[in-house]
Amino acid sequence: MASNLCYSTCSLFSTPKLGRRTFTFSFQRDDSLSFYSKTSLQKRSVSLQETQSSNPTKHSQNPQYPHGKTGSSPKSYIWVNPKSPRASKLKEKSYDTRYNSLVKLAADLDSCSATEDDVFSVLCCLGDDFLEQDCVIILNNMTNPDTAALALTYFTNKLKASKEVILYNVTMKVFRKCRDLDKAERLFDDMLDRGVKPDNVTFSTLISCARMNNLPDKAVEWFERMPSFGCDPDALTYTSMIDAYGRAGNVEMAFGLYDRARNEKWRIDANAFSTLIKLYGTAGNFDGCLNVYEEMKAIGVKPNMITYNNLLDAMGRAKRPWQVKTIYKEMTDNGLSPNWNTYASLLRAYGRARYGEDALSVYREMKEKGMRLSVTLYNTLLAMCADIGYTDEAFEIFEDMKSSENCQPDSWTFSSMITICSCSGKVSEAEAMFNEMLEAGFEPNLFVLTSLIQCYGKAQRTDDVVRALNRLPELGITPDDRFCGCLLNVMTQTPKEELGKLVECVEKSNSKLGYVVKLLLEEQDMEGDFKKEATELFNTISNEVKKAYCNCLIDLCVNLNLLEKACKLLELGLTLEVYTDIQSRSPTQWSLHLKSLSLGAALTALHIWINDLSKALESGEEFPPLLGINTGHGKHKYSDKGLASVFESHLKELNAPFHDSPDKVGWFLTTEAAAKSWLESRSSLVSVPAKVTAS
């Protein structure tokens, strides 16, 4: 078979003398493309071409045809036996051999010292008769930016290149490989000093180098300099700038380029889509994140890890854990393995949504893979455990955190742990955690003291509550509305004979609230002062604590058997819209909705509703077929009791005909006939229990 040979007009490092016959490549070289990659230089025909000429040097001496060939010369082909000595000699002078030699020369340059003497000594083997293409091959295969710059100097001094900008661009790509933007920018200045005009490749290389260095502002700066040099960005550059502008904070420009890319059907890469998802997520447009994700899949762009991580993070902040699960499954189904950022996004997402089991599963998987958690991720887990009552799991995570090498508990860590101990009623553990916090050098804040006071209150250790309260001035802490709400909650759990100790504390924290509590505890309500003062109180506190205040004050009234004041407070809450939609009526059902109320407030609302039903019966008002009480089906996170279980017992005590509905969880229903019969049989108004049992 024919020998698979091709031949370059120059030998390894000098022009060959072949006598009467000159062998040339059988393809035409495209100079505009030949300086960029090896693939564009590879042979396309392997047969040997013999050019017959009476003057073998005629074309080689013509500068228009440096390779000794023209497009119109007659051609004939000969076959050479691959086993013949002639074939082996031709093979030594083939393109592959020369290319490999130039690649080896590039490796020698990478490893030599970055001095002119050493670099020029390595390059002197090229002689004086080398091609611009040889320079491109050498530079393109280099990775040492210092020696590459010296090699470029050698080439530009020795060679009068027809396209000198190409040599600069290839050298600049060496700097990009090393992520050395400073050297790339200095090379750009050298180009201008030598009168070399930069082209699109120059700018795209600088832009991509800036992006690789996470310097989006620099990428934008180079992009915006292109027009001043007469360069028009191509579609690829434009789409890369979607990512750069987005990361630089110019959201409007990023979305403007995105819209243009869609209209002009440019190819958008995964990085640009990832940045757009992040921008939408930061802006709170979570549906926009999903739209971008679906669009990139529709046009065939494969999401990468950055895409998935940005999307998981956005859906986590949107509190859409179900979508987090779907996206994560798509990611793994596409063959991508989760990295640290993926797990971090999952933990934050499940932690925010209080998906306890899912969050703990991710945590354990990270530990199995030897991944280290940050302080923020540990605190996310502990805050979730505090919110959903995972006490044992919290202590396990806390001990793991303390034993880790890269992070230790901070003030937020101790705050969560003290909250967990407090809500679980673990007084000794809460105190131990508080002391450990002090030993670690952290000053307790208002949140920590609130949790500690709540813990003492649950254990009915009133003196410890007062002692903790007296530390506030020493620490320079001013009580806020939430702290005062905590004091009210403690009072609902305090024996009547010890309430006086706390009234003074409440007065110090909030004088208006203290006065309302004093009026509440008094037997008489002179001239309606209680409701008037309570109204003024609710007009001065923040909206976020109004329901908590009202619930606690009503609970306190119920504990002290002050039913009239409890009713006044509930009516006030309805008037001020602290409570809304407690009662509803339709042609088919009258309902009482108690899900957002405390136990005392719920019992008070039941008392008022039964009175309203009795009045409706007395007035002859037509009843619907069904009457229902909606308590919800949840329970307190740190207790086995929920409103539904307490109400079930209470309704039995009242002998009320409301029964747990098998079809509607959290509902107690009765029929029109049963309700009327029960109301008629009642000899007096329903009484509310004298004590609210803290859950």
Side-chain angles (χ1 to χ4, degrees), residues 581-609:
D581 303 323
I582 289 182
Q583 293 188 30
S584 66
R585 290 190 177 190
S586 73
T588 58
Q589 183 173 327
W590 289 355
S591 302
L592 178 65
H593 303 279
L594 306 173
K595 285 198 297 184
S596 65
L597 278 63
S598 64
L599 178 56
L603 292 172
T604 304
L606 176 65
H607 169 83
I608 294 174
W609 190 56

Side-chain angles (χ1 to χ4, degrees), residues 562-665:
L562 301 173
L563 182 57
E564 184 179 350
K565 288 181 179 178
C567 291
K568 286 181 179 180
L569 283 169
L570 185 65
E571 290 170 359
L572 178 60
L574 291 168
T575 302
L576 298 177
E577 296 186 346
V578 175
Y579 303 119
T580 56
D581 303 323
I582 289 182
Q583 293 188 30
S584 66
R585 290 190 177 190
S586 73
T588 58
Q589 183 173 327
W590 289 355
S591 302
L592 178 65
H593 303 279
L594 306 173
K595 285 198 297 184
S596 65
L597 278 63
S598 64
L599 178 56
L603 292 172
T604 304
L606 176 65
H607 169 83
I608 294 174
W609 190 56
I610 292 174
N611 282 346
D612 290 343
L613 292 178
S614 298
K615 292 176 183 177
L617 183 64
E618 291 174 5
S619 64
E621 192 172 346
E622 185 177 350
F623 275 47
L626 280 178
L627 292 90
I629 302 171
N630 180 16
T631 62
H633 62 279
K635 64 180 182 180
H636 193 279
K637 57 195 174 188
Y638 289 100
S639 171
D640 293 331
K641 292 183 179 180
L643 195 58
S645 61
V646 175
F647 253 72
E648 185 176 16
S649 300
H650 184 61
L651 290 171
K652 288 179 179 178
E653 291 176 8
L654 297 177
N655 200 27
F658 292 89
H659 302 286
D660 190 10
S661 171
D663 300 325
K664 299 175 71 174
V665 180

Side-chain angles (χ1 to χ4, degrees), residues 149-449:
L150 293 172
L152 174 65
T153 301
Y154 182 88
F155 294 143
T156 53
N157 290 339
K158 291 276 188 179
L159 188 71
K160 291 184 178 179
S162 59
K163 297 180 181 179
E164 196 170 353
V165 65
I166 295 176
L167 295 179
Y168 277 94
N169 288 344
V170 178
T171 307
M172 197 171 287
K173 289 180 179 179
V174 178
F175 299 154
R176 184 181 63 183
K177 290 177 190 176
C178 305
R179 299 173 183 259
D180 197 333
L181 182 61
D182 290 337
K183 283 189 173 65
E185 291 182 329
R186 286 200 295 270
L187 184 62
F188 181 85
D189 293 335
D190 291 342
M191 290 177 66
L192 300 184
D193 292 340
R194 287 181 59 90
V196 179
K197 183 182 178 183
D199 59 10
N200 275 21
V201 176
T202 311
F203 284 103
S204 65
T205 304
L206 285 163
I207 289 168
S208 58
C209 186
R211 291 177 61 204
M212 289 171 66
N213 281 280
N214 292 316
L215 297 171
D217 291 315
K218 274 288 185 182
V220 169
E221 177 187 327
W222 283 107
F223 174 75
E224 293 180 350
R225 290 182 67 180
M226 292 182 72
S228 64
F229 289 90
C231 296
D232 293 324
D234 56 16
L236 184 62
T237 304
Y238 271 124
T239 53
S240 70
M241 292 308 299
I242 296 174
D243 170 61
Y245 273 112
R247 291 165 59 196
N250 193 336
V251 178
E252 183 178 351
M253 189 68 178
F255 282 122
L257 285 176
Y258 175 54
D259 291 337
R260 182 177 174 185
R262 289 197 300 176
N263 293 335
E264 300 186 21
K265 301 190 182 306
W266 294 339
R267 178 73 176 177
I268 307 175
D269 62 17
N271 288 333
F273 278 115
S274 301
T275 299
L276 289 167
I277 290 171
K278 188 171 185 177
L279 291 176
Y280 275 123
T282 303
N285 186 349
F286 303 115
D287 289 331
C289 297
L290 293 173
N291 291 338
V292 170
Y293 176 60
E294 293 300 328
E295 182 172 341
M296 76 180 293
K297 292 193 297 182
I299 64 175
V301 179
K302 189 176 181 179
N304 57 25
M305 284 301 301
I306 299 174
T307 310
Y308 283 115
N309 289 343
N310 287 349
L311 194 58
L312 289 170
D313 186 67
M315 293 302 103
R317 283 189 280 115
K319 294 186 178 180
R320 301 181 184 179
W322 60 93
Q323 287 179 328
V324 169
K325 288 187 174 185
T326 301
I327 294 163
Y328 180 68
K329 185 177 185 304
E330 287 184 18
M331 186 193 86
T332 53
D333 288 347
N334 287 334
L336 295 175
S337 299
N339 58 20
W340 191 93
N341 289 327
T342 311
Y343 284 121
S345 296
L346 291 173
L347 271 184
R348 288 192 294 266
Y350 294 144
R352 285 191 186 105
R354 304 309 182 232
Y355 271 39
E357 292 303 320
D358 294 293
L360 291 175
S361 175
V362 172
Y363 162 70
R364 292 182 181 119
E365 190 172 337
M366 289 183 75
K367 299 302 294 182
E368 288 173 3
K369 292 185 176 182
M371 293 184 178
R372 294 180 175 181
L373 276 72
S374 65
V375 174
T376 303
L377 291 182
Y378 273 117
N379 287 344
T380 298
L381 281 168
L382 292 174
M384 178 201 71
C385 290
D387 279 348
I388 60 180
Y390 278 19
T391 305
D392 295 337
E393 292 83 352
F395 276 95
E396 175 191 338
I397 294 167
F398 180 67
E399 291 302 322
D400 173 51
M401 183 181 187
K402 289 198 297 182
S403 64
S404 66
E405 298 177 357
N406 62 311
C407 58
Q408 288 297 309
D410 62 8
S411 59
W412 289 108
T413 311
F414 288 111
S415 296
S416 295
M417 291 305 299
I418 292 171
T419 299
I420 292 168
C421 296
S422 169
C423 294
S424 304
K426 299 178 181 290
V427 179
S428 59
E429 289 86 345
E431 290 180 329
M433 197 65 65
F434 182 77
N435 291 331
E436 186 176 345
M437 178 181 181
L438 296 178
E439 291 171 3
F442 297 107
E443 287 290 333
N445 55 25
L446 187 60
F447 183 80
V448 170
L449 289 175

Side-chain angles (χ1 to χ4, degrees), residues 47-110:
S47 64
L48 290 171
Q49 172 189 332
E50 181 180 31
T51 303
Q52 302 291 342
S53 174
S54 60
N55 184 1
T57 63
K58 178 180 179 181
H59 294 307
S60 62
Q61 293 172 349
N62 188 342
Q64 186 178 355
Y65 305 105
H67 297 280
K69 63 181 179 181
T70 67
S72 60
S73 61
K75 300 178 181 180
S76 62
Y77 297 87
I78 62 171
W79 177 83
V80 177
N81 189 337
K83 296 181 179 180
S84 72
R86 184 183 181 193
S88 61
K89 290 180 180 179
L90 289 172
K91 188 173 183 180
E92 290 176 1
K93 300 170 183 177
S94 69
Y95 168 80
D96 282 343
T97 302
R98 178 163 183 80
Y99 182 89
N100 292 334
S101 300
L102 294 173
V103 171
K104 183 180 182 302
L105 189 59
D108 292 340
L109 288 169
D110 283 335

